Amino acid sequence: MTILRNGALMTPEGPMNADLRMDKGKIAEIAPHIRPGGGEDVVDASGCWVCPGFIDGHTHLDLDTGATRTADDFASGTRAAVCGGTTTICDFATQDRGDTMAHALEVWHALADGVSSCNYAFHMAVTDWNERTKAELPALRAAGVTSFKAYFAYDNLRLDDGAILELLESIRPFGGILGVHCENGDVVERLRRRAVAQGRTGPENHPLTRPAEAEAEAVDRLCWLGRMADAPVHIVHLSSALGLEEVRRARRRGQTVYAETCPQYLLLDDSRYRLPGFEGAKYVMSPPLRGREDVCALREAVVNGEIDTISTDHCDFNFAGQKELGRGDFTKIPNGAPGIEHRPALMFTSFSGALSPSRLCALLSAGQARLFGMYPRKGALAVGSDADVVVWDPRARWTITAAGQVQNVDYTPYEGMEMEGRARLVYVNGVLAARNGQPTGAVAGEYIKR
């Protein structure tokens, strides 16, 4: 049993000065003053914000790309997550073509069960839509999977428009949500092949072959499919002003469109691809980093309340030996970048003064919990909610470095950035999982059946 005293609890209505008691993995009491009954661990949170545990709704851990495997598995990735204040992740169980979704779920459970420091849920990435797949949906829902993903890009993953329409129609009756990777795959593949044929093989060609127009076209197409299916849609890792405008257009038509973006699209721009030598490979991700005008447009959208969630798309590969697979051919650089550890600090620092701590908690926690069927069990400081709690010290000052990170990767896109604020204490189901950016060694994560 733990009592947090004298902290400012971050609620949707704003900060509330109160004490909080955790017992048996739940928030048991919230009151102005909680008197210890004896035997509790009493923690003074004076000067700190007490936040609902942060939720990363978009991660890729222990992912086999065919050519290599991500640097972080569920053990190391979730250990890094809790150090930054993330107490729940949503990863992607991915169906192989010709295989079942049930088997994909079994595979991902085998990767995550028993080794995860934070809680975990699974989206189901559908790559082979047919009558057998459709028949699996009731069992999948019973297993706690209510969110799905489809791709407009990547030949080995993408569905055609008709399949996405039917998938939207099929999950609508039980309130399922479909997130889609929005890039026009045909256009992207044609531009990539053309660049290589012309001898343009460096990482600076990555953003040139995945233009913002390819994202915007796919966002527009998904929104119209959602309208035909009379279903909400979720745009994952929105990266461009053009894509944002398509979201706005659909919303003006009266559609329900959820938009996620990521720290990299709010902080970094495409100048990173023009770094000397092969350094630009560190920033090869899809969609790519965009221009400064896109960064400014997305930041403005965050402040204006047009972005629903901020997650990471954490998909990390070491620069040495993995990103270097693409020397001489940028199309062979493994796509993705690390971020699972640093998202909360990056956002609290970057939007300090522009957004309240309560609003940032909504973007980092409550928004994901609501969208993916976990609220108010997750994403809320309320009696009866799970005891996933972060004691955030806004006075802490520190610098992000690869040498000092817990993520199992040899670089960070945010090297040298100075942070304001840090997770002082991180509780997962009432168990102390991290202290001052370092793991305690507790493996307290549970599967979240939604």
Side-chain angles (χ1 to χ4, degrees):
M1 188 185 303
T2 302
I3 297 175
L4 303 178
R5 308 190 72 176
N6 307 318
L9 275 61
M10 292 299 128
T11 72
E13 295 75 30
M16 178 177 71
N17 293 320
D19 296 350
L20 181 149
R21 179 167 62 89
M22 296 178 279
D23 188 23
K24 298 177 181 177
K26 299 289 183 180
I27 296 175
E29 183 181 3
I30 294 174
H33 300 285
I34 296 175
R35 184 184 300 275
E40 300 98 336
D41 179 20
V42 180
V43 176
D44 185 4
S46 297
C48 292
W49 303 332
V50 179
C51 307
F54 305 129
I55 300 170
D56 192 338
H58 192 150
T59 67
H60 299 278
L61 299 176
D62 212 344
L63 177 66
D64 185 354
T65 68
T68 189
R69 201 173 195 99
T70 51
D72 273 308
D73 58 14
F74 278 87
S76 66
T78 59
R79 188 164 56 242
V82 296
C83 291
T86 292
T87 58
T88 300
I89 63 165
C90 300
D91 209 85
F92 294 87
T94 302
Q95 172 200 28
D96 287 333
R97 286 189 174 160
D99 202 356
T100 64
M101 295 190 295
H103 183 241
L105 189 59
E106 289 176 10
V107 169
W108 258 260
H109 268 296
L111 296 173
D113 291 353
V115 301
S116 296
S117 297
C118 71
N119 301 306
Y120 53 97
F122 297 122
H123 311 294
M124 178 57 63
V126 183
T127 67
D128 194 359
W129 179 254
N130 51 49
E131 288 303 313
R132 183 191 65 190
T133 305
K134 183 177 180 180
E136 288 189 81
L137 289 176
L140 216 60
R141 182 188 179 196
V145 177
T146 58
S147 52
F148 300 81
K149 186 177 183 181
Y151 293 82
F152 278 138
Y154 306 119
D155 287 344
N156 62 324
L157 295 172
R158 57 176 159 157
L159 298 178
D160 62 36
D161 293 354
I164 290 178
L165 175 64
E166 288 190 0
L167 179 54
L168 284 165
E169 292 170 335
S170 298
I171 65 176
R172 182 189 62 202
F174 61 85
I177 186 73
L178 178 66
V180 178
H181 178 119
C182 288
E183 290 184 291
N184 185 312
D186 288 335
V187 168
V188 166
E189 288 308 310
R190 183 64 60 91
L191 292 176
R192 280 157 56 91
R193 289 195 298 268
R194 181 188 300 172
V196 172
Q198 293 173 347
R200 297 186 289 113
T201 58
E204 68 277 6
N205 292 287
H206 176 69
L208 302 178
T209 59
R210 307 186 90 100
E213 290 83 356
E215 177 178 77
E217 185 279 333
V219 170
D220 179 51
R221 187 158 28 114
L222 175 63
C223 289
W224 284 114
L225 290 171
R227 178 161 167 157
M228 284 186 271
D230 191 25
V233 294
H234 179 215
I235 313 299
V236 302
H237 51 48
L238 183 66
S239 69
S240 68
L242 288 176
L244 174 63
E245 186 52 41
E246 296 303 331
V247 171
R248 289 169 171 160
R249 287 178 58 191
R251 287 172 173 171
R252 287 196 294 267
R253 294 194 296 264
Q255 290 185 246
T256 299
V257 180
Y258 298 101
E260 166 202 272
T261 194
C262 309
Q264 55 267 35
Y265 304 121
L266 298 169
L267 296 171
L268 309 176
D269 64 43
D270 58 6
S271 65
R272 300 287 176 128
Y273 297 114
R274 298 186 291 276
L275 290 172
F278 196 60
E279 285 293 301
K282 294 178 178 178
Y283 306 93
V284 168
M285 61 190 77
S286 296
L289 301 178
R290 306 294 186 187
R292 286 307 304 172
E293 65 277 9
D294 297 284
V295 173
C296 291
L298 288 173
R299 290 182 63 84
E300 182 180 357
V302 169
V303 173
N304 291 342
E306 297 177 274
I307 299 297
D308 299 286
T309 59
I310 298 174
S311 294
T312 62
D313 194 11
H314 176 90
C315 186
D316 61 347
F317 302 94
N318 286 306
F319 180 68
Q322 291 188 299
K323 289 286 189 179
E324 289 180 327
L325 292 170
R327 282 191 183 274
D329 184 349
F330 74 93
T331 67
K332 296 180 181 178
I333 300 171
N335 274 227
I340 201 169
E341 183 175 348
H342 299 132
R343 174 187 60 129
L346 288 164
M347 294 299 94
F348 274 103
T349 300
S350 181
F351 286 97
S352 176
L355 292 175
S356 69
S358 293
R359 175 60 187 148
L360 282 163
C361 286
L363 287 163
L364 298 173
S365 181
Q368 289 87 339
R370 291 180 185 276
L371 182 61
F372 300 130
M374 294 182 277
Y375 193 86
R377 179 182 176 187
K378 306 291 184 186
L381 297 179
V383 173
S385 296
D386 288 350
D388 297 338
V389 179
V390 176
V391 178
W392 187 268
D393 184 357
R395 301 161 298 184
R397 299 294 183 267
W398 58 288
T399 302
I400 294 177
T401 65
Q405 69 186 3
V406 177
Q407 296 169 148
N408 187 38
V409 63
D410 63 5
Y411 79 98
T412 168
Y414 311 107
E415 184 74 33
M417 289 190 179
E418 296 181 358
M419 296 292 101
E420 299 176 1
R422 187 170 210 165
R424 176 180 156 196
L425 300 169
V426 181
Y427 296 89
V428 176
N429 300 312
V431 177
L432 183 63
R435 179 189 292 110
N436 294 322
Q438 294 299 314
T440 64
V443 180
E446 298 177 353
Y447 172 63
I448 306 305
K449 184 178 180 180
R450 297 172 290 128

